[in-house]
Amino acid sequence: GQETIGLELHKPLVPASLNLSEYFKQFLFPQNECELHDFRLSFSQLKWDNWIVAPHRYNPRYCKGDCPRAGGHRYGSPVHTMVQNIIHEKLDSSVPRPSCVPAKYSPLSVLAIEPDGSIAYKEYEDMIATKCTCR
Amino acid sequence: SQASRGEVEIAAGTEWESEAVPWSLVKPLDKKDRPGSLPPLFKVLYDGQGGAPRLQPDSRALRYMKRLYKSYATKEGIPKSNRNPLYNTVRLFTSCAQHKRAPGDQVTGTIASVDLLFHLDRVTALERLLKSVLLFTFSNSISFHSAVKCMCNLVMKEPAFSSRNPHRAQSSLTFNSQFEITKKQKWIEVDVTAPFQPLVASDKRSIHMLVNLTCVKDQLQPPSARDRPLNVTLLVPPSLLLYLNDTSAQAHHRWYSPHYKRRPSQSAGHKRGLSACPQGEKSAEGVRPSRRRR
């Protein structure tokens, strides 16, 4: 059997017609897939630093990118998302593709000066996106 | 809960759309579109009136609140998990009018009794009071050679003229609290939850009180240090700190967030702890069933 094993070892791993970069392309995720992006702003840019004392920097983050056709495995998307994709591709392109939107948020603590001069520490819900989904 | 809440908002259709609008600072919206019950932060975002004229706060009070902020949140504004989960709002009020009624007595160290008036208009109907503190500090940094014992006497007054019953005699409620000032202490917090609870709960918009502070030196001191007068008149008239639980939907409720997990034993202890401050229990219980129903 040594000859057969030898022959097997010399057999190319991938069909000659398909070169390596092409072969790996099928495993790469699309370049601009739906994901979380940072957007750091300071309240002085919005000219609110005369009443918002802290935090100085605020990064609400946002979701941007294309939704892959099989959204379920990575984004926790419901089956409806895939159905909407199929409708867009096969039945009616006026129905939009699923959108890349936030799925989870975290709160933000704000120290603010009230109009009467009193000072308030408050925690606001849903002020920072922490996870994206396709819907 | 996020997804369900998201579905509820999307299902709400137009209402959710109008809520989404406040963030569009690009185009000013005319008055008719403005939804009614937005918390102050969103109202300002909505109106773009961030620049509305504001009274400037007391610098010492601002320094204290910045220090409180640093202990409750990170630099990016993420709430830390180490603070009491029951309150998500802390408000500091400085007194509008302070009249010194009687000069201080250097020997016994009695501070001039101070007449204070706090306007609490910024406390919203959805904010439940959990704890009230009078915050004393010194006009300039002084350090005691040893601990000093103080007695704080509060006389709560009805406002001079109460529209409801103009002829009612001024009623007053006296409250005493003892505490100790150690060396180099910058802030002195006196818990006054008991006398304030009924006033804030009865939706009073302003609170009028007389504060007497008597500080005597520790008798164990060597005679030489005892005859040095205790200059407590350096104490600045106190500010009022209210620890509240904002029950509105926009406020962060830590005990419901998935990040805040209580161990069964701790939650049992937590329940016992709540019985120590009935207000907290009422507000927490009050909030829990409605949220569970929702």
Short mmCIF file of all heavy atoms in Angstrom, two decimals, chain B residues 184-233:
data_model
loop_
_atom_site.label_atom_id
_atom_site.label_comp_id
_atom_site.label_asym_id
_atom_site.label_seq_id
_atom_site.Cartn_x
_atom_site.Cartn_y
_atom_site.Cartn_z
N LYS B 184 -9.21 66.64 59.90
CA LYS B 184 -9.10 66.81 58.43
C LYS B 184 -10.37 66.37 57.70
O LYS B 184 -10.33 66.02 56.54
CB LYS B 184 -7.91 65.98 57.88
CG LYS B 184 -6.55 66.47 58.38
CD LYS B 184 -5.44 65.95 57.50
CE LYS B 184 -4.05 66.31 57.98
NZ LYS B 184 -3.89 67.71 58.31
N GLN B 185 -11.52 66.31 58.42
CA GLN B 185 -12.73 65.91 57.68
C GLN B 185 -13.25 67.10 56.89
O GLN B 185 -13.36 68.20 57.44
CB GLN B 185 -13.80 65.45 58.68
CG GLN B 185 -15.01 64.81 58.04
CD GLN B 185 -15.87 64.12 59.09
OE1 GLN B 185 -15.42 63.91 60.21
NE2 GLN B 185 -17.09 63.81 58.74
N LYS B 186 -13.51 66.91 55.59
CA LYS B 186 -13.93 68.05 54.77
C LYS B 186 -15.45 68.15 54.72
O LYS B 186 -16.01 69.22 54.66
CB LYS B 186 -13.40 67.88 53.33
CG LYS B 186 -11.93 68.28 53.19
CD LYS B 186 -11.55 68.39 51.74
CE LYS B 186 -12.16 69.62 51.11
NZ LYS B 186 -11.56 69.94 49.81
N TRP B 187 -16.12 67.01 54.70
CA TRP B 187 -17.59 67.05 54.55
C TRP B 187 -18.20 66.34 55.74
O TRP B 187 -17.71 65.33 56.18
CB TRP B 187 -18.02 66.32 53.26
CG TRP B 187 -17.40 66.89 52.03
CD1 TRP B 187 -16.28 66.46 51.41
CD2 TRP B 187 -17.86 68.01 51.29
NE1 TRP B 187 -15.99 67.24 50.32
CE2 TRP B 187 -16.95 68.21 50.23
CE3 TRP B 187 -18.92 68.90 51.42
CZ2 TRP B 187 -17.11 69.23 49.29
CZ3 TRP B 187 -19.07 69.92 50.49
CH2 TRP B 187 -18.17 70.07 49.45
N ILE B 188 -19.29 66.90 56.24
CA ILE B 188 -20.00 66.25 57.34
C ILE B 188 -21.43 65.99 56.86
O ILE B 188 -22.12 66.93 56.43
CB ILE B 188 -20.02 67.16 58.58
CG1 ILE B 188 -18.60 67.50 58.99
CG2 ILE B 188 -20.76 66.49 59.72
CD1 ILE B 188 -18.48 68.90 59.53
N GLU B 189 -21.81 64.68 56.83
CA GLU B 189 -23.15 64.32 56.34
C GLU B 189 -24.02 63.96 57.54
O GLU B 189 -23.68 63.07 58.31
CB GLU B 189 -23.04 63.13 55.38
CG GLU B 189 -22.19 63.45 54.15
CD GLU B 189 -22.18 62.31 53.14
OE1 GLU B 189 -22.90 61.32 53.37
OE2 GLU B 189 -21.45 62.41 52.15
N VAL B 190 -25.11 64.69 57.72
CA VAL B 190 -26.03 64.40 58.82
C VAL B 190 -27.31 63.83 58.21
O VAL B 190 -27.97 64.50 57.41
CB VAL B 190 -26.34 65.69 59.61
CG1 VAL B 190 -27.27 65.39 60.78
CG2 VAL B 190 -25.05 66.32 60.12
N ASP B 191 -27.64 62.57 58.56
CA ASP B 191 -28.83 61.91 57.99
C ASP B 191 -30.09 62.52 58.59
O ASP B 191 -30.29 62.49 59.80
CB ASP B 191 -28.79 60.41 58.30
CG ASP B 191 -29.87 59.67 57.50
OD1 ASP B 191 -31.00 60.19 57.46
OD2 ASP B 191 -29.56 58.62 56.91
N VAL B 192 -30.92 63.12 57.73
CA VAL B 192 -32.17 63.73 58.21
C VAL B 192 -33.37 63.12 57.48
O VAL B 192 -34.38 63.79 57.20
CB VAL B 192 -32.14 65.26 58.02
CG1 VAL B 192 -31.14 65.91 58.96
CG2 VAL B 192 -31.81 65.62 56.56
N THR B 193 -33.25 61.81 57.16
CA THR B 193 -34.33 61.15 56.41
C THR B 193 -35.64 61.22 57.17
O THR B 193 -36.69 61.55 56.60
CB THR B 193 -33.95 59.69 56.13
OG1 THR B 193 -32.67 59.68 55.48
CG2 THR B 193 -34.98 58.99 55.27
N ALA B 194 -35.58 61.00 58.48
CA ALA B 194 -36.83 60.91 59.28
C ALA B 194 -37.67 62.18 59.16
O ALA B 194 -38.82 62.13 58.72
CB ALA B 194 -36.48 60.60 60.73
N PRO B 195 -37.12 63.38 59.46
CA PRO B 195 -38.00 64.56 59.38
C PRO B 195 -38.37 64.95 57.96
O PRO B 195 -39.39 65.57 57.71
CB PRO B 195 -37.18 65.65 60.06
CG PRO B 195 -35.77 65.22 59.95
CD PRO B 195 -35.79 63.73 59.97
N PHE B 196 -37.53 64.56 56.96
CA PHE B 196 -37.83 65.01 55.59
C PHE B 196 -38.84 64.13 54.88
O PHE B 196 -39.55 64.59 53.99
CB PHE B 196 -36.52 65.05 54.77
CG PHE B 196 -35.83 66.36 54.87
CD1 PHE B 196 -35.17 66.73 56.02
CD2 PHE B 196 -35.89 67.26 53.83
CE1 PHE B 196 -34.56 67.96 56.13
CE2 PHE B 196 -35.28 68.50 53.92
CZ PHE B 196 -34.60 68.84 55.08
N GLN B 197 -38.87 62.83 55.29
CA GLN B 197 -39.71 61.88 54.54
C GLN B 197 -41.14 62.40 54.38
O GLN B 197 -41.63 62.54 53.27
CB GLN B 197 -39.71 60.54 55.27
CG GLN B 197 -40.32 59.40 54.48
CD GLN B 197 -39.55 59.10 53.19
OE1 GLN B 197 -38.35 59.22 53.16
NE2 GLN B 197 -40.27 58.78 52.14
N PRO B 198 -41.81 62.76 55.50
CA PRO B 198 -43.21 63.18 55.34
C PRO B 198 -43.35 64.46 54.50
O PRO B 198 -44.27 64.60 53.71
CB PRO B 198 -43.69 63.41 56.77
CG PRO B 198 -42.47 63.50 57.62
CD PRO B 198 -41.39 62.74 56.91
N LEU B 199 -42.33 65.35 54.61
CA LEU B 199 -42.46 66.62 53.88
C LEU B 199 -42.36 66.39 52.37
O LEU B 199 -43.16 66.86 51.59
CB LEU B 199 -41.34 67.57 54.33
CG LEU B 199 -41.41 67.99 55.82
CD1 LEU B 199 -40.18 68.78 56.21
CD2 LEU B 199 -42.67 68.80 56.07
N VAL B 200 -41.32 65.61 51.96
CA VAL B 200 -41.14 65.39 50.52
C VAL B 200 -42.26 64.51 49.99
O VAL B 200 -42.78 64.71 48.90
CB VAL B 200 -39.75 64.77 50.23
CG1 VAL B 200 -39.57 64.54 48.72
CG2 VAL B 200 -38.64 65.68 50.74
N ALA B 201 -42.70 63.54 50.85
CA ALA B 201 -43.78 62.62 50.38
C ALA B 201 -45.07 63.41 50.17
O ALA B 201 -45.85 63.13 49.28
CB ALA B 201 -43.99 61.51 51.40
N SER B 202 -45.24 64.49 51.00
CA SER B 202 -46.49 65.28 50.84
C SER B 202 -46.29 66.30 49.73
O SER B 202 -46.97 67.32 49.68
CB SER B 202 -46.79 66.00 52.15
OG SER B 202 -45.72 66.92 52.40
N ASP B 203 -45.29 66.02 48.87
CA ASP B 203 -45.12 66.83 47.66
C ASP B 203 -44.89 68.32 47.97
O ASP B 203 -45.35 69.19 47.25
CB ASP B 203 -46.38 66.68 46.78
CG ASP B 203 -45.99 66.95 45.32
OD1 ASP B 203 -44.77 67.07 45.10
OD2 ASP B 203 -46.87 67.10 44.47
N LYS B 204 -44.21 68.61 49.10
CA LYS B 204 -43.89 70.00 49.44
C LYS B 204 -42.89 70.53 48.43
O LYS B 204 -41.93 69.87 48.09
CB LYS B 204 -43.23 70.04 50.83
CG LYS B 204 -44.22 70.05 51.97
CD LYS B 204 -43.93 71.16 52.94
CE LYS B 204 -44.94 71.19 54.06
NZ LYS B 204 -46.32 70.99 53.62
N ARG B 205 -43.15 71.77 47.94
CA ARG B 205 -42.22 72.29 46.95
C ARG B 205 -41.08 73.08 47.62
O ARG B 205 -40.09 73.37 47.00
CB ARG B 205 -42.97 73.20 45.97
CG ARG B 205 -43.93 72.45 45.09
CD ARG B 205 -43.26 71.55 44.07
NE ARG B 205 -43.01 70.20 44.54
CZ ARG B 205 -42.23 69.35 43.88
NH1 ARG B 205 -41.64 69.71 42.78
NH2 ARG B 205 -42.03 68.14 44.34
N SER B 206 -41.29 73.50 48.90
CA SER B 206 -40.17 74.18 49.57
C SER B 206 -40.18 73.79 51.03
O SER B 206 -41.23 73.51 51.61
CB SER B 206 -40.31 75.70 49.42
OG SER B 206 -41.53 76.07 50.01
N ILE B 207 -38.97 73.72 51.61
CA ILE B 207 -38.82 73.28 53.00
C ILE B 207 -38.06 74.36 53.77
O ILE B 207 -36.99 74.80 53.33
CB ILE B 207 -38.08 71.93 53.06
CG1 ILE B 207 -39.00 70.84 52.49
CG2 ILE B 207 -37.67 71.60 54.49
CD1 ILE B 207 -38.46 69.45 52.55
N HIS B 208 -38.65 74.78 54.89
CA HIS B 208 -38.09 75.89 55.68
C HIS B 208 -37.68 75.32 57.03
O HIS B 208 -38.45 74.62 57.66
CB HIS B 208 -39.21 76.94 55.84
CG HIS B 208 -38.79 78.13 56.64
ND1 HIS B 208 -39.69 78.99 57.22
CD2 HIS B 208 -37.56 78.58 56.97
CE1 HIS B 208 -39.02 79.94 57.86
NE2 HIS B 208 -37.73 79.72 57.72
N MET B 209 -36.42 75.60 57.46
CA MET B 209 -35.99 75.01 58.74
C MET B 209 -34.96 75.90 59.42
O MET B 209 -34.34 76.76 58.79
CB MET B 209 -35.39 73.63 58.48
CG MET B 209 -34.07 73.69 57.77
SD MET B 209 -33.34 72.06 57.63
CE MET B 209 -33.72 71.71 55.97
N LEU B 210 -34.81 75.63 60.71
CA LEU B 210 -33.82 76.31 61.53
C LEU B 210 -32.80 75.25 61.93
O LEU B 210 -33.19 74.15 62.33
CB LEU B 210 -34.51 76.84 62.80
CG LEU B 210 -34.01 78.13 63.42
CD1 LEU B 210 -33.98 79.25 62.39
CD2 LEU B 210 -34.87 78.51 64.60
N VAL B 211 -31.50 75.55 61.75
CA VAL B 211 -30.48 74.56 62.10
C VAL B 211 -29.58 75.14 63.19
O VAL B 211 -29.06 76.24 63.04
CB VAL B 211 -29.60 74.23 60.86
CG1 VAL B 211 -28.50 73.24 61.24
CG2 VAL B 211 -30.45 73.65 59.75
N ASN B 212 -29.48 74.41 64.34
CA ASN B 212 -28.50 74.79 65.38
C ASN B 212 -27.47 73.68 65.44
O ASN B 212 -27.83 72.51 65.47
CB ASN B 212 -29.18 74.86 66.75
CG ASN B 212 -30.26 75.93 66.75
OD1 ASN B 212 -30.03 77.02 66.27
ND2 ASN B 212 -31.44 75.57 67.21
N LEU B 213 -26.20 74.10 65.48
CA LEU B 213 -25.16 73.08 65.57
C LEU B 213 -24.31 73.39 66.79
O LEU B 213 -23.80 74.50 66.92
CB LEU B 213 -24.29 73.12 64.30
CG LEU B 213 -23.35 71.92 64.13
CD1 LEU B 213 -24.17 70.65 63.96
CD2 LEU B 213 -22.46 72.12 62.93
N THR B 214 -24.25 72.46 67.72
CA THR B 214 -23.43 72.68 68.92
C THR B 214 -22.32 71.64 68.92
O THR B 214 -22.61 70.45 68.86
CB THR B 214 -24.30 72.49 70.19
OG1 THR B 214 -25.44 73.34 70.03
CG2 THR B 214 -23.53 72.87 71.43
N CYS B 215 -21.07 72.14 68.92
CA CYS B 215 -19.94 71.20 68.90
C CYS B 215 -19.12 71.43 70.16
O CYS B 215 -18.72 72.55 70.43
CB CYS B 215 -19.05 71.44 67.69
SG CYS B 215 -19.91 71.08 66.16
N VAL B 216 -18.93 70.37 70.94
CA VAL B 216 -18.09 70.51 72.14
C VAL B 216 -16.85 69.67 71.94
O VAL B 216 -16.87 68.66 71.24
CB VAL B 216 -18.84 70.04 73.40
CG1 VAL B 216 -19.94 71.03 73.73
CG2 VAL B 216 -19.39 68.65 73.20
N LYS B 217 -15.76 70.14 72.56
CA LYS B 217 -14.50 69.44 72.37
C LYS B 217 -14.52 68.17 73.20
O LYS B 217 -15.20 68.07 74.21
CB LYS B 217 -13.35 70.35 72.81
CG LYS B 217 -13.23 71.59 71.95
CD LYS B 217 -11.97 72.32 72.25
CE LYS B 217 -11.40 72.97 71.01
NZ LYS B 217 -10.12 73.61 71.28
N ASP B 218 -13.75 67.23 72.76
CA ASP B 218 -13.67 65.96 73.46
C ASP B 218 -13.03 66.21 74.83
O ASP B 218 -11.96 66.79 74.94
CB ASP B 218 -12.76 65.02 72.64
CG ASP B 218 -12.92 63.62 73.14
OD1 ASP B 218 -13.46 63.50 74.25
OD2 ASP B 218 -12.53 62.67 72.42
N GLN B 219 -13.72 65.83 75.95
CA GLN B 219 -13.25 66.15 77.31
C GLN B 219 -11.90 65.48 77.62
O GLN B 219 -11.22 65.85 78.53
CB GLN B 219 -14.29 65.71 78.35
CG GLN B 219 -15.62 66.43 78.19
CD GLN B 219 -15.43 67.95 78.00
OE1 GLN B 219 -14.61 68.57 78.67
NE2 GLN B 219 -16.14 68.51 77.03
N LEU B 220 -11.56 64.49 76.83
CA LEU B 220 -10.33 63.75 77.19
C LEU B 220 -9.09 64.52 76.77
O LEU B 220 -7.98 64.09 76.95
CB LEU B 220 -10.35 62.38 76.48
CG LEU B 220 -11.62 61.55 76.78
CD1 LEU B 220 -11.58 60.23 76.02
CD2 LEU B 220 -11.74 61.33 78.30
N GLN B 221 -9.31 65.71 76.16
CA GLN B 221 -8.13 66.40 75.66
C GLN B 221 -7.30 66.97 76.81
O GLN B 221 -7.84 67.26 77.88
CB GLN B 221 -8.60 67.59 74.81
CG GLN B 221 -9.00 67.18 73.40
CD GLN B 221 -9.30 68.46 72.62
OE1 GLN B 221 -8.70 69.48 72.88
NE2 GLN B 221 -10.24 68.37 71.73
N PRO B 222 -6.01 67.19 76.56
CA PRO B 222 -5.19 67.87 77.60
C PRO B 222 -5.72 69.30 77.78
O PRO B 222 -6.21 69.90 76.82
CB PRO B 222 -3.78 67.85 76.98
CG PRO B 222 -3.97 67.66 75.52
CD PRO B 222 -5.24 66.87 75.36
N PRO B 223 -5.73 69.81 79.03
CA PRO B 223 -6.27 71.15 79.33
C PRO B 223 -5.76 72.21 78.34
O PRO B 223 -6.52 73.03 77.84
CB PRO B 223 -5.76 71.45 80.73
CG PRO B 223 -5.40 70.11 81.32
CD PRO B 223 -5.06 69.20 80.19
N SER B 224 -4.48 72.13 77.96
CA SER B 224 -3.95 73.23 77.11
C SER B 224 -4.79 73.34 75.83
O SER B 224 -5.19 74.43 75.42
CB SER B 224 -2.51 72.90 76.73
OG SER B 224 -2.52 71.66 75.99
N ALA B 225 -5.11 72.18 75.22
CA ALA B 225 -5.84 72.26 73.94
C ALA B 225 -7.27 72.70 74.19
O ALA B 225 -7.93 73.24 73.31
CB ALA B 225 -5.85 70.88 73.27
N ARG B 226 -7.78 72.49 75.45
CA ARG B 226 -9.22 72.71 75.65
C ARG B 226 -9.58 74.19 75.58
O ARG B 226 -10.65 74.55 75.13
CB ARG B 226 -9.63 72.14 77.03
CG ARG B 226 -11.06 71.60 77.02
CD ARG B 226 -11.43 71.00 78.34
NE ARG B 226 -10.62 69.80 78.63
CZ ARG B 226 -10.67 69.22 79.85
NH1 ARG B 226 -11.39 69.75 80.81
NH2 ARG B 226 -9.97 68.13 80.08
N ASP B 227 -8.65 75.04 75.99
CA ASP B 227 -9.11 76.44 76.07
C ASP B 227 -8.99 77.13 74.70
O ASP B 227 -9.32 78.28 74.56
CB ASP B 227 -8.26 77.20 77.12
CG ASP B 227 -6.78 77.07 76.74
OD1 ASP B 227 -6.54 76.56 75.61
OD2 ASP B 227 -5.91 77.39 77.55
N ARG B 228 -8.52 76.34 73.69
CA ARG B 228 -8.44 77.01 72.37
C ARG B 228 -9.87 77.03 71.80
O ARG B 228 -10.51 75.99 71.69
CB ARG B 228 -7.52 76.18 71.45
CG ARG B 228 -6.97 77.00 70.30
CD ARG B 228 -5.89 76.22 69.55
NE ARG B 228 -4.78 75.83 70.44
CZ ARG B 228 -4.14 74.67 70.31
NH1 ARG B 228 -4.52 73.80 69.40
NH2 ARG B 228 -3.16 74.37 71.12
N PRO B 229 -10.40 78.23 71.50
CA PRO B 229 -11.82 78.28 71.05
C PRO B 229 -12.00 77.45 69.78
O PRO B 229 -11.13 77.41 68.93
CB PRO B 229 -12.05 79.77 70.80
CG PRO B 229 -10.70 80.38 70.62
CD PRO B 229 -9.74 79.54 71.40
N LEU B 230 -13.17 76.84 69.72
CA LEU B 230 -13.48 75.99 68.56
C LEU B 230 -14.24 76.87 67.57
O LEU B 230 -15.38 77.24 67.81
CB LEU B 230 -14.35 74.82 69.03
CG LEU B 230 -14.82 73.88 67.91
CD1 LEU B 230 -13.61 73.17 67.32
CD2 LEU B 230 -15.81 72.89 68.46
N ASN B 231 -13.62 77.20 66.50
CA ASN B 231 -14.24 78.17 65.62
C ASN B 231 -15.17 77.46 64.63
O ASN B 231 -14.85 77.28 63.46
CB ASN B 231 -13.13 78.92 64.86
CG ASN B 231 -13.76 80.06 64.09
OD1 ASN B 231 -14.97 80.20 64.12
ND2 ASN B 231 -12.93 80.83 63.42
N VAL B 232 -16.36 77.03 65.11
CA VAL B 232 -17.26 76.30 64.19
C VAL B 232 -18.00 77.28 63.29
O VAL B 232 -18.69 76.89 62.37
CB VAL B 232 -18.30 75.46 64.94
CG1 VAL B 232 -17.66 74.25 65.54
CG2 VAL B 232 -19.01 76.30 65.98
N THR B 233 -17.83 78.59 63.55
CA THR B 233 -18.58 79.48 62.64
C THR B 233 -17.98 79.36 61.24
O THR B 233 -18.47 79.91 60.30
CB THR B 233 -18.46 80.94 63.13
OG1 THR B 233 -17.07 81.18 63.36
CG2 THR B 233 -19.23 81.12 64.42
#
